[in-house]
Amino acid sequence: MMRKLDYGSGSVGKNILYSAIPLTIAQLLLIFYNIVDRFYIGRIPGSGTLALGAVGICFPVIVLVTAFTNLFGIGGAPLFSIALGQKNPKKAQEIVNTAYRLECISALLILLIGEAAMVPLLHLFGAGKEAMPYAVPYLRIYLLGTFCVMISGGMNPYMTAQGYPRAGMIAILIGAIANLILDPIFIFAFGMGVSGAAWATVISQTLSWFYVRRFFASSLSSFKLWLRKKDSEKYLPHALDIMGLGVVPFIMQATNSLVQVVANHALMQWGGALFISAMTIISSVRQVIETPVATIAQGAAPLVSYNYGAHDAAKVRRGIQITTIVAVGYALTVWILIASFPHFFARIFTSDEALIEETVHAIHLYFFAFIFQAFQVTGQNIFRALNKRKQAIFFSLFRKVILVVPLTLLLPNFMGLGTDGVFIAEPISNLIGGTFSYSTMVWIVSHELKSWKEKTDSSQMADGR
């Protein structure tokens, strides 16, 4: 029998832990889809380095798919949790079905638009003549799995919000294991190369989708998924609320895509294709090591949202404290490891010695201020969990658009930095953005919780009189 968490009672630390660990594993496994592809693609005899760079050029599109998935998934889950904390299951049901409908519609639109505009998009992202034979088939096949990846990924936060984070983990685990098995078969045994990697991913995503659908149809879930036309009038207000809050994770992912495009163009200008392949490896490493930072904050979000809706200031405050301590501790540990063993991380994806040496040098620059990523992500996710969309949106834009993009374009011209300037842009933005985001969050939230206490004290005094 799968255990259900109760976010309104019990130990705050244990609830965060029991939620964050399965969520972290699930998100790492989700990233594992693309990481495994790159691991095998980089080892294709004769063309591995070029093919790896071509798949890296497709990365912005894949990130955009994730961005739209999170727009309605992570965006709606706090509203869903707040409704549960307010003991309003009818509203919670309407929210989850609104999110489901939005995921379905968006998946279809992304598939159609992506297919129609594929070649111009790839050119825009920096694909040259050598990369296009690898990038086009990979992306075309990958887009076929858009519906399954968006439904399985987008509905996953609603499984966690109901108290079943392990179910979300299992959904991703099924696909990850399938991808691990199918990738070498399709790429090497069947000789399909990058196309085989894409087909393995699509099949794996479909298996995850089957599990998610089964969960919501089972007795474990108190909320069902449907697309009934008669309920359409209920969707619009919730859709606006979901997208208003979901724009935060959307911007976080979409701006990652923007940064990747800008970095690819800058690296091609100042260094060439080898440096794009190095950035592809670094992006893969970053995805893996930054995911636990994000999922620690996301794992705390249902508890923080639930108790925010229930006006329990002590548990909201405790949730933020525990999230910060764990996230910073993890980020510091990982930074030490990656600074000490950069060759290990580079060799996971390639055996090309020239590429390894360039990647090692870039890793030292890129991850220099990684610890501040914990402050950035914690600040943004707490703002989102408390439905403070304006602050969450601002800090999502601030680090990536206001800091990283201009720095990526300007620093290569500064003191002859060249490609080093592209990689240095990230730690500078982490330092400034993380400090600003977290300190602002602490100031705003502490004042609000203090006002709750003052109102409670005033009410109790009035009752006493």
Side-chain angles (χ1 to χ4, degrees):
M1 183 69 179
M2 191 171 294
R3 176 182 177 180
K4 181 176 181 178
L5 300 182
D6 182 356
Y7 296 117
S9 63
S11 167
V12 172
K14 286 184 178 180
N15 277 335
I16 291 176
L17 184 67
Y18 291 147
S19 179
I21 289 178
L23 184 61
T24 300
I25 294 172
Q27 290 299 313
L28 286 172
L29 291 171
L30 189 60
I31 290 172
F32 197 58
Y33 283 126
N34 297 322
I35 298 297
V36 168
D37 286 351
R38 296 169 205 170
F39 173 83
Y40 287 116
I41 287 170
R43 285 165 171 73
I44 295 176
S47 60
T49 299
L50 182 59
L52 183 64
V55 172
I57 291 170
C58 297
F59 185 66
V61 178
I62 297 171
V63 171
L64 280 174
V65 172
T66 305
F68 278 99
T69 301
N70 292 341
L71 176 62
F72 312 121
I74 296 177
L79 301 174
F80 179 79
S81 293
I82 290 172
L84 293 179
Q86 295 169 339
K87 309 301 181 185
N88 192 343
K90 180 177 181 293
K91 182 178 180 181
Q93 177 69 76
E94 292 172 359
I95 290 171
V96 73
N97 274 287
T98 302
Y100 178 57
R101 173 169 287 203
L102 292 170
E103 295 282 4
C104 292
I105 294 172
S106 297
L108 178 60
L109 291 175
I110 289 172
L111 174 60
L112 296 176
I113 294 172
E115 178 61 34
M118 184 178 302
V119 174
L121 279 175
L122 289 173
H123 281 305
L124 177 65
F125 295 158
K129 292 182 179 179
E130 292 182 336
M132 291 298 281
Y134 302 98
V136 170
Y138 182 86
L139 186 57
R140 174 166 287 135
I141 297 167
Y142 181 90
L143 286 173
L144 293 176
T146 302
F147 178 83
C148 291
V149 72
M150 289 189 69
I151 299 303
S152 60
M155 293 297 101
N156 212 297
Y158 298 93
M159 298 162 75
T160 299
Q162 290 183 65
Y164 294 105
R166 287 180 60 193
M169 179 189 70
I170 293 171
I172 305 302
L173 179 63
I174 291 170
I177 292 175
N179 199 42
L180 181 63
I181 295 171
L182 294 176
D183 252 336
I185 295 174
F186 280 73
I187 294 172
F188 300 112
F190 294 168
M192 296 174 68
V194 293
S195 296
W199 277 118
T201 300
V202 169
I203 294 170
S204 302
Q205 290 167 347
T206 303
L207 294 175
S208 293
W209 170 74
F210 274 123
Y211 180 86
V212 171
R213 286 292 303 171
R214 182 180 176 185
F215 171 85
F216 278 96
S218 73
S219 59
L220 290 176
S221 177
S222 301
F223 305 91
K224 308 305 175 186
L225 302 179
W226 59 68
L227 298 173
R228 298 187 306 202
K229 187 176 181 181
K230 69 177 184 177
D231 296 315
S232 296
E233 69 278 1
K234 302 176 183 178
Y235 293 146
L236 183 58
H238 295 308
L240 295 176
D241 287 340
I242 289 170
M243 287 188 287
L245 189 55
V247 74
V248 178
F250 177 83
I251 289 173
M252 291 170 66
Q253 292 293 334
T255 50
N256 280 339
S257 183
L258 172 64
V259 169
Q260 189 74 33
V261 172
V262 173
N264 283 346
H265 277 283
L267 289 171
M268 181 62 75
Q269 176 186 349
W270 290 93
L274 180 69
F275 291 86
I276 293 181
S277 294
M279 179 59 87
T280 301
I281 293 174
I282 287 175
S283 297
S284 302
V285 174
R286 187 199 70 219
Q287 277 188 297
V288 174
I289 67 171
E290 77 177 3
T291 291
V293 176
T295 53
I296 289 165
Q298 290 172 18
L303 180 142
V304 172
S305 297
Y306 184 99
N307 288 289
Y308 184 75
H311 264 58
D312 190 332
K315 287 185 178 178
V316 171
R317 188 180 293 108
R318 184 60 177 158
I320 294 172
Q321 291 171 347
I322 292 174
T323 301
T324 302
I325 293 169
V326 176
V328 172
Y330 166 82
L332 177 61
T333 302
V334 169
W335 176 73
I336 292 172
L337 286 173
I338 200 168
S340 302
F341 307 103
H343 284 84
F344 168 79
F345 291 96
R347 291 185 185 280
I348 292 174
F349 299 95
T350 184
S351 56
D352 185 321
E353 289 300 325
L355 178 56
I356 288 171
E357 290 308 309
E358 184 52 51
T359 302
V360 167
H361 174 69
I363 281 175
H364 284 299
L365 299 175
Y366 191 88
F367 292 106
F368 179 72
F370 181 73
I371 188 171
F372 287 91
Q373 183 78 354
F375 293 107
Q376 172 76 22
V377 173
T378 300
Q380 285 183 193
N381 276 280
I382 295 301
F383 277 135
R384 181 181 57 79
L386 302 183
N387 197 17
K388 298 186 182 300
R389 62 192 70 182
K390 291 181 181 179
Q391 293 88 344
I393 291 170
F394 172 77
F395 286 108
S396 296
L397 291 171
F398 178 71
R399 192 176 83 83
K400 293 290 186 176
V401 178
I402 298 175
L403 292 177
V404 178
V405 171
L407 287 172
T408 300
L409 295 173
L410 295 174
L411 286 177
N413 297 282
F414 182 70
M415 297 180 62
L417 285 174
T419 55
D420 284 356
V422 178
F423 297 114
I424 291 172
E426 182 73 12
I428 294 175
S429 69
N430 271 339
L431 174 61
I432 299 172
T435 303
F436 191 21
S437 172
Y438 188 82
S439 59
T440 304
M441 181 274 294
V442 170
W443 187 84
I444 290 176
V445 173
S446 62
H447 276 70
E448 182 171 6
L449 298 185
K450 183 179 178 181
S451 70
W452 284 5
K453 186 177 185 303
E454 290 173 351
K455 289 178 182 179
T456 301
D457 291 343
S458 298
S459 176
Q460 289 174 347
M461 289 176 64
D463 292 341
R465 287 195 298 267

